PDB file of all heavy atoms in Angstrom:
ATOM      1  N   ASP C 228      91.934 124.211  83.146  1.00 93.00           N
ATOM      2  CA  ASP C 228      91.043 124.075  81.989  1.00 93.00           C
ATOM      3  C   ASP C 228      89.974 125.160  81.986  1.00 93.00           C
ATOM      4  O   ASP C 228      89.624 125.693  80.933  1.00 93.00           O
ATOM      5  CB  ASP C 228      90.384 122.688  81.987  1.00 93.00           C
ATOM      6  CG  ASP C 228      91.317 121.622  81.434  1.00 93.00           C
ATOM      7  OD1 ASP C 228      92.382 122.004  80.902  1.00 93.00           O
ATOM      8  OD2 ASP C 228      90.986 120.430  81.543  1.00 93.00           O
ATOM      9  N   LEU C 229      89.439 125.468  83.176  1.00 93.00           N
ATOM     10  CA  LEU C 229      88.391 126.490  83.242  1.00 93.00           C
ATOM     11  C   LEU C 229      88.951 127.859  82.865  1.00 93.00           C
ATOM     12  O   LEU C 229      88.312 128.630  82.144  1.00 93.00           O
ATOM     13  CB  LEU C 229      87.776 126.521  84.647  1.00 93.00           C
ATOM     14  CG  LEU C 229      86.834 125.352  84.954  1.00 93.00           C
ATOM     15  CD1 LEU C 229      86.565 125.252  86.451  1.00 93.00           C
ATOM     16  CD2 LEU C 229      85.526 125.470  84.194  1.00 93.00           C
ATOM     17  N   VAL C 230      90.182 128.151  83.340  1.00 92.00           N
ATOM     18  CA  VAL C 230      90.807 129.430  82.998  1.00 92.00           C
ATOM     19  C   VAL C 230      91.088 129.493  81.496  1.00 92.00           C
ATOM     20  O   VAL C 230      90.767 130.474  80.825  1.00 92.00           O
ATOM     21  CB  VAL C 230      92.112 129.627  83.811  1.00 92.00           C
ATOM     22  CG1 VAL C 230      92.888 130.826  83.298  1.00 92.00           C
ATOM     23  CG2 VAL C 230      91.798 129.780  85.278  1.00 92.00           C
ATOM     24  N   LEU C 231      91.662 128.419  80.970  1.00 93.00           N
ATOM     25  CA  LEU C 231      91.965 128.384  79.540  1.00 93.00           C
ATOM     26  C   LEU C 231      90.695 128.504  78.712  1.00 93.00           C
ATOM     27  O   LEU C 231      90.661 129.157  77.672  1.00 93.00           O
ATOM     28  CB  LEU C 231      92.713 127.094  79.179  1.00 93.00           C
ATOM     29  CG  LEU C 231      94.144 126.996  79.710  1.00 93.00           C
ATOM     30  CD1 LEU C 231      94.757 125.656  79.345  1.00 93.00           C
ATOM     31  CD2 LEU C 231      94.999 128.138  79.175  1.00 93.00           C
ATOM     32  N   ASP C 232      89.631 127.874  79.185  1.00 93.00           N
ATOM     33  CA  ASP C 232      88.358 127.934  78.472  1.00 93.00           C
ATOM     34  C   ASP C 232      87.846 129.372  78.426  1.00 93.00           C
ATOM     35  O   ASP C 232      87.324 129.833  77.417  1.00 93.00           O
ATOM     36  CB  ASP C 232      87.342 127.025  79.180  1.00 93.00           C
ATOM     37  CG  ASP C 232      86.030 126.969  78.444  1.00 93.00           C
ATOM     38  OD1 ASP C 232      86.030 126.440  77.310  1.00 93.00           O
ATOM     39  OD2 ASP C 232      85.015 127.441  78.972  1.00 93.00           O
ATOM     40  N   LEU C 233      88.056 130.080  79.548  1.00 92.00           N
ATOM     41  CA  LEU C 233      87.597 131.463  79.652  1.00 92.00           C
ATOM     42  C   LEU C 233      88.267 132.334  78.591  1.00 92.00           C
ATOM     43  O   LEU C 233      87.649 133.223  78.005  1.00 92.00           O
ATOM     44  CB  LEU C 233      87.940 131.981  81.057  1.00 92.00           C
ATOM     45  CG  LEU C 233      87.173 133.193  81.553  1.00 92.00           C
ATOM     46  CD1 LEU C 233      85.714 132.823  81.760  1.00 92.00           C
ATOM     47  CD2 LEU C 233      87.771 133.672  82.867  1.00 92.00           C
ATOM     48  N   VAL C 234      89.545 132.079  78.331  1.00 94.00           N
ATOM     49  CA  VAL C 234      90.260 132.888  77.346  1.00 94.00           C
ATOM     50  C   VAL C 234      90.321 132.191  75.982  1.00 94.00           C
ATOM     51  O   VAL C 234      91.088 132.588  75.106  1.00 94.00           O
ATOM     52  CB  VAL C 234      91.696 133.224  77.828  1.00 94.00           C
ATOM     53  CG1 VAL C 234      91.628 134.122  79.033  1.00 94.00           C
ATOM     54  CG2 VAL C 234      92.466 131.951  78.171  1.00 94.00           C
ATOM     55  N   GLY C 235      89.497 131.133  75.850  1.00 93.00           N
ATOM     56  CA  GLY C 235      89.381 130.493  74.535  1.00 93.00           C
ATOM     57  C   GLY C 235      90.589 129.678  74.118  1.00 93.00           C
ATOM     58  O   GLY C 235      90.824 129.486  72.924  1.00 93.00           O
ATOM     59  N   LEU C 236      91.376 129.212  75.067  1.00 92.00           N
ATOM     60  CA  LEU C 236      92.587 128.473  74.709  1.00 92.00           C
ATOM     61  C   LEU C 236      92.542 126.988  75.092  1.00 92.00           C
ATOM     62  O   LEU C 236      93.511 126.275  74.934  1.00 92.00           O
ATOM     63  CB  LEU C 236      93.815 129.107  75.383  1.00 92.00           C
ATOM     64  CG  LEU C 236      94.237 130.469  74.847  1.00 92.00           C
ATOM     65  CD1 LEU C 236      95.374 131.040  75.686  1.00 92.00           C
ATOM     66  CD2 LEU C 236      94.670 130.357  73.390  1.00 92.00           C
ATOM     67  N   ARG C 237      91.402 126.546  75.629  1.00 90.00           N
ATOM     68  CA  ARG C 237      91.331 125.152  76.062  1.00 90.00           C
ATOM     69  C   ARG C 237      91.378 124.230  74.850  1.00 90.00           C
ATOM     70  O   ARG C 237      90.694 124.458  73.859  1.00 90.00           O
ATOM     71  CB  ARG C 237      90.034 124.901  76.828  1.00 90.00           C
ATOM     72  CG  ARG C 237      89.972 123.532  77.487  1.00 90.00           C
ATOM     73  CD  ARG C 237      88.682 123.373  78.256  1.00 90.00           C
ATOM     74  NE  ARG C 237      87.539 123.231  77.365  1.00 90.00           N
ATOM     75  CZ  ARG C 237      87.129 122.072  76.852  1.00 90.00           C
ATOM     76  NH1 ARG C 237      87.780 120.958  77.146  1.00 90.00           N
ATOM     77  NH2 ARG C 237      86.083 122.012  76.054  1.00 90.00           N
ATOM     78  N   ARG C 238      92.210 123.196  74.958  1.00 85.00           N
ATOM     79  CA  ARG C 238      92.325 122.240  73.852  1.00 85.00           C
ATOM     80  C   ARG C 238      91.706 120.916  74.243  1.00 85.00           C
ATOM     81  O   ARG C 238      91.764 120.502  75.388  1.00 85.00           O
ATOM     82  CB  ARG C 238      93.794 122.033  73.473  1.00 85.00           C
ATOM     83  CG  ARG C 238      94.317 123.110  72.551  1.00 85.00           C
ATOM     84  CD  ARG C 238      95.790 122.889  72.312  1.00 85.00           C
ATOM     85  NE  ARG C 238      96.504 122.824  73.598  1.00 85.00           N
ATOM     86  CZ  ARG C 238      97.752 122.379  73.715  1.00 85.00           C
ATOM     87  NH1 ARG C 238      98.393 121.920  72.671  1.00 85.00           N
ATOM     88  NH2 ARG C 238      98.348 122.372  74.896  1.00 85.00           N
ATOM     89  N   ARG C 239      91.131 120.254  73.251  1.00 79.00           N
ATOM     90  CA  ARG C 239      90.599 118.926  73.511  1.00 79.00           C
ATOM     91  C   ARG C 239      91.745 117.926  73.535  1.00 79.00           C
ATOM     92  O   ARG C 239      92.782 118.168  72.936  1.00 79.00           O
ATOM     93  CB  ARG C 239      89.591 118.544  72.437  1.00 79.00           C
ATOM     94  CG  ARG C 239      88.297 119.325  72.550  1.00 79.00           C
ATOM     95  CD  ARG C 239      87.319 118.891  71.476  1.00 79.00           C
ATOM     96  NE  ARG C 239      87.111 117.434  71.525  1.00 79.00           N
ATOM     97  CZ  ARG C 239      86.236 116.834  72.323  1.00 79.00           C
ATOM     98  NH1 ARG C 239      85.522 117.561  73.150  1.00 79.00           N
ATOM     99  NH2 ARG C 239      86.092 115.539  72.293  1.00 79.00           N
ATOM    100  N   PRO C 240      91.555 116.808  74.273  1.00 73.00           N
ATOM    101  CA  PRO C 240      92.629 115.814  74.325  1.00 73.00           C
ATOM    102  C   PRO C 240      92.983 115.323  72.923  1.00 73.00           C
ATOM    103  O   PRO C 240      92.081 115.150  72.093  1.00 73.00           O
ATOM    104  CB  PRO C 240      92.029 114.675  75.151  1.00 73.00           C
ATOM    105  CG  PRO C 240      90.697 115.120  75.616  1.00 73.00           C
ATOM    106  CD  PRO C 240      90.352 116.406  74.979  1.00 73.00           C
ATOM    107  N   GLY C 241      94.267 115.107  72.702  1.00 70.00           N
ATOM    108  CA  GLY C 241      94.874 114.774  71.410  1.00 70.00           C
ATOM    109  C   GLY C 241      94.024 114.039  70.380  1.00 70.00           C
ATOM    110  O   GLY C 241      92.912 113.651  70.662  1.00 70.00           O
ATOM    111  N   PRO C 242      94.535 113.843  69.168  1.00 73.00           N
ATOM    112  CA  PRO C 242      93.750 113.241  68.092  1.00 73.00           C
ATOM    113  C   PRO C 242      93.501 111.751  68.334  1.00 73.00           C
ATOM    114  O   PRO C 242      94.308 111.075  68.956  1.00 73.00           O
ATOM    115  CB  PRO C 242      94.634 113.442  66.863  1.00 73.00           C
ATOM    116  CG  PRO C 242      96.020 113.531  67.405  1.00 73.00           C
ATOM    117  CD  PRO C 242      95.907 114.137  68.767  1.00 73.00           C
TER     118      PRO C 242
END
Side-chain angles (χ1 to χ4, degrees):
Chain C
D228 280 351
L229 285 165
V230 170
L231 290 177
D232 184 66
L233 200 67
V234 294
L236 290 175
R237 188 178 72 86
R238 277 176 305 166
R239 289 181 54 85

